[in-house]
Amino acid sequence: MNAVTSSVFNDSDPYPDPDQIPPLDFLVVAPHPDDAELGMGGTIMRMIDEGMRVGVLDLTSGEPTPHGSLEIRRRETDHATEIMKLTWRGNAGLTNRAVEASLPAREHIASFVRCLRPRWLFAPYYHDAHPDHIAATQLVEAARFHAKLSKTAMPGPRHHPERLYYYFCIHLRLAVQPSWIVDISDQWDRKLDAIRAYESQFITGRDPGPPSLTDRFRDDAAYWGRLIERQYGEPFATKEPLAMSSLRDLI
C-alpha cells in the first residue's frame, strides 16, 4: 500500500502507511516545532533510550517568527529530530497563529492517529495564554475519540489510544502542580542540544544574559528535579487516574 496523502490540508505531510510503520508507543502532538523539545524532550529521549517507539506530530510550521523562515525552521526541526532519534516525525500543515479545533482539523489529526496507532498520546497542558496551544489540546482530545469511529472515510484502522497525558510548555506564569515528574538527569544535555537546534527561536536576537533563555530552561528543569531529589526533571499532568502494578517504580 502506498502512503496515503491528506485530502484536507494540501501542505501537510502524507499520512503514514499503517502497513509500513509499526504502531508507536507514544505520539507527542506539538502546536509548533520546538514545543515537544521544550516540554518533554528529555522524557522523549528517555523513552527512546528504553527501546520505545516515539513520534512527534507538529501541527504547524511555526512561521512566521522574527528570525525564522520556513526553510530555517525545517532545517532546525530536522536537526532536533536527529538529536532525539525519533521513530517518526510529521507536520499536519495547520496554519500558525490560527489553529482551530474544527471538524476538518479533527478528522485530519485523527487520521494521523489511526495510521500511527500510538498506545499513548501527549498534548500541551490545557491552561495556557497561547491560543494555538489551547486549540491544539482541544483538537487532540477530540481526535483521540474520533480516531476510533467506524464507517468513515478516514484512512487507517480504527484506533483509540489508551491514555492522554499533558506536558507543560505554557505561556502563563503558573505555579502548576503536576501529576508526576520524570527524571531526565541522564538526558538533560541532549535535551539542551535539541533546544539549541532551534537557533532562530532561542538564540538569534535574544538577550545573551545572564541569565540566557537556555539558562532559564535549565533552572526550570533543576527545580522539577529537586522536587523528586534528582538533578533534572520534567512535569506532566493527567485528567484520568494513573494505574500502577508495582510501587517499585516510585522514586
Side-chain angles (χ1 to χ4, degrees):
M1 181 188 297
N2 295 325
V4 184
T5 301
S6 164
S7 60
V8 181
F9 298 94
N10 293 327
D11 55 347
S12 77
D13 288 340
Y15 303 129
D17 186 341
D19 290 340
Q20 299 297 322
I21 180 170
L24 296 178
D25 293 300
F26 307 96
L27 177 63
V28 182
V29 181
H32 318 96
D34 71 36
D35 284 327
E37 288 83 352
L38 284 172
M40 56 177 296
T43 302
I44 288 171
M45 287 185 278
R46 177 161 185 161
M47 292 187 292
I48 292 172
D49 290 346
E50 294 174 358
M52 298 181 184
R53 296 175 51 79
V54 184
V56 172
L57 176 62
D58 299 312
L59 296 185
T60 74
S61 68
E63 284 302 303
T65 57
H67 304 289
S69 68
L70 289 175
E71 293 74 19
I72 290 172
R73 295 299 292 274
R74 191 174 297 115
R75 184 169 61 250
E76 292 174 342
T77 302
D78 288 345
H79 186 196
T81 300
E82 291 175 1
I83 292 170
M84 292 195 294
K85 300 180 181 178
L86 290 172
T87 308
W88 178 90
R89 190 167 200 160
N91 195 292
L94 304 187
T95 303
N96 185 39
R97 304 179 181 177
V99 177
E100 294 181 327
S102 64
L103 179 57
R106 181 198 310 172
E107 292 184 344
H108 184 45
I109 303 310
S111 295
F112 279 103
V113 173
R114 289 164 70 101
C115 291
L116 291 165
R117 297 151 358 254
R119 180 182 178 190
W120 292 348
L121 278 174
F122 287 82
Y125 185 61
Y126 35 86
H127 296 308
D128 204 333
H130 198 316
D132 277 2
H133 284 228
I134 296 172
T137 302
Q138 295 171 341
L139 185 55
V140 174
E141 290 174 338
R144 178 195 180 201
F145 185 90
H146 212 73
K148 70 177 182 178
L149 298 182
S150 59
K151 299 180 180 178
T152 173
M154 289 185 291
R158 298 172 59 206
H159 182 72
H160 187 250
E162 295 176 15
R163 295 284 179 171
L164 171 59
Y165 299 124
Y166 304 89
Y167 62 92
F168 291 86
C169 187
I170 58 179
H171 298 72
L172 290 171
R173 293 179 175 86
L174 294 177
V176 297
Q177 182 64 42
S179 302
W180 80 93
I181 299 170
V182 174
D183 176 11
I184 62 161
S185 302
D186 292 341
Q187 290 77 28
W188 168 252
D189 288 339
R190 284 183 290 152
K191 169 173 176 165
L192 191 56
D193 286 342
I195 292 173
R196 285 173 173 160
Y198 295 96
E199 183 175 348
S200 68
Q201 305 305 301
F202 304 123
I203 299 174
T204 304
R206 295 279 185 175
D207 183 353
S212 67
L213 192 58
T214 52
D215 289 337
R216 295 182 186 276
F217 296 150
R218 181 184 288 107
D219 291 344
D220 288 343
Y223 167 76
W224 295 117
R226 283 195 299 273
L227 294 184
I228 57 171
E229 298 184 347
R230 295 296 186 273
Q231 189 172 10
Y232 297 110
E234 283 177 340
F236 293 88
T238 178
K239 293 182 179 180
E240 300 174 305
L242 293 171
M244 296 186 65
S245 58
S246 171
L247 296 180
R248 287 177 296 198
D249 291 332
L250 291 175
I251 62 174

